[in-house]
Amino acid sequence: MSIAASVSGFLYRKPRLRLGMLLSAPLLWLGLAYLGALAALFVTAFWHTDTFTGQVVTEWSLDNFATLFTDEVYRTITFRTLGIAVAVTVIDAVIAFPMAFYMAKFASPRAQRILVIAVMTPLWASYLVKAYSWRVMLSGNGLVGWLFGATPGYGLTATILTLSYLWLPYMILPIYAGLDRLPNSLVEASSDLGGRSWRTFRSVVLPLTFPAIVAGSIFTFSLTLGDYITVKIVGGANQMLGNVVYDNIGAANNLPFAATVATVPVVIMLVYLAAVRRTGALDNL
């Protein structure tokens, strides 16, 4: 028996080893490209920039974090970014749930396929095209002003509207998948037991689809925390954490402080995932 055949037979009898070998290269790349980059980010956050030469000084210091936590401007930007992320997530969940419910429970199989394609179609368009389209619609002569007789202009409202549109498919698809797995017999049983529509939704549908809502919220919340382009286009004079990172990498040439600010969304997401993990919602995904 050849060596190749022996190795093949050995791997066939060891499925876990075979799986580990198949995943070793992707996991190695993930560790180097993602976890390695995060480690470099956290290390750089403790360095500082020489104000005279503009060079990065690799001496450990907490000055960047002191500035971040004591300066009112950065505290305001942090809370503003967090508020926008929460608002976008709530708006997308409220809009996505009835759409996903219709797709999963009322639409025919053919209509389901068409609606899923319709939901995914905006993802094929360029991010900038969609953001600038909203800038045009929110302008004084835009579609929003023509429909409602007034326009919110450029600012926080425009930022929330645009981001809600951009990330809506990421909320619809997980909720649709969760509702599609929900047995119709449970809804019918609740109705047979005298449960009205709201009681059935509150006691049966919502608890069973909560993990799917959590999955969608992870996308919308994290994507909003890291966004910096939309607020540049429609946010007026407002800034988010992503803008501070971008400006300190570019114009200010202060890479350590940019790394310090970039740790804030990472920490917020870690806290959010830990809180969601304690609810047990992720266990059923």
Side-chain angles (χ1 to χ4, degrees):
M1 183 182 294
S2 65
I3 296 177
S6 300
V7 173
S8 176
F10 176 75
L11 292 177
Y12 180 78
R13 294 190 298 271
K14 302 289 185 179
R16 292 186 178 181
L17 178 61
R18 185 170 68 250
L19 178 62
M21 293 181 65
L22 289 173
L23 295 178
S24 59
L27 290 176
L28 179 63
W29 174 251
L30 175 65
L32 292 175
Y34 183 70
L35 299 180
L38 278 180
L41 173 72
F42 287 127
V43 170
T44 307
F46 291 95
W47 296 345
H48 64 277
T49 302
D50 189 294
T51 56
F52 181 72
T53 63
Q55 299 297 317
V56 175
V57 180
T58 57
E59 295 178 356
W60 291 70
S61 171
L62 295 175
D63 293 343
N64 291 331
F65 289 96
T67 302
L68 181 64
F69 292 125
T70 58
D71 196 315
E72 185 179 354
V73 173
Y74 297 119
R75 288 203 305 270
T76 301
I77 292 174
T78 300
F79 286 116
R80 178 189 300 138
T81 304
L82 186 60
I84 291 174
V86 171
V88 169
T89 300
V90 171
I91 291 172
D92 280 349
V94 171
I95 296 175
F97 201 95
M99 295 178 64
F101 192 81
Y102 175 80
M103 292 166 59
K105 299 303 178 184
F106 292 98
S108 64
R110 182 172 181 273
Q112 285 183 0
R113 292 191 292 270
I114 295 174
L115 290 172
V116 169
I117 293 174
V119 169
M120 295 180 61
T121 298
L123 300 178
W124 302 343
S126 168
Y127 176 101
L128 289 176
V129 170
K130 293 182 287 187
Y132 275 106
S133 297
W134 271 94
R135 178 180 175 87
V136 173
M137 289 192 294
L138 292 168
S139 64
N141 298 322
L143 179 63
V144 175
W146 178 75
L147 287 175
F148 299 101
T151 177
Y154 304 132
L156 292 181
T157 302
T159 302
I160 292 172
L161 286 174
T162 304
L163 290 174
S164 297
Y165 165 78
L166 290 173
W167 311 142
L168 183 59
Y170 297 101
M171 181 66 80
I172 294 176
L173 294 176
I175 296 179
Y176 164 71
L179 287 169
D180 192 48
R181 295 194 300 265
L182 178 67
N184 293 331
S185 58
L186 293 179
V187 179
E188 295 170 356
S190 175
S191 178
D192 292 340
L193 293 173
R196 299 192 177 186
S197 299
W198 171 246
R199 181 61 186 272
T200 300
F201 171 78
R202 181 168 54 88
S203 302
V204 178
V205 177
L206 187 58
L208 293 177
T209 56
F210 183 68
I213 299 173
V214 169
S217 72
I218 292 173
F219 289 111
T220 58
F221 191 75
S222 61
L223 289 171
T224 303
L225 281 179
D227 190 86
Y228 70 96
I229 298 176
T230 294
V231 72
K232 281 280 190 182
I233 296 174
V234 300
N238 295 288
Q239 282 190 315
M240 295 174 65
L241 288 172
N243 303 115
V244 179
V245 175
Y246 178 81
D247 292 340
N248 277 277
I249 291 177
N253 192 28
N254 191 347
L255 183 60
F257 188 71
T260 304
V261 178
T263 61
V264 176
V266 176
V267 171
I268 291 175
M269 279 307 304
L270 289 176
V271 172
Y272 179 68
L273 290 174
V276 169
R277 183 79 169 84
R278 289 179 65 86
T279 66
L282 297 180
D283 296 337
N284 298 320
L285 289 178

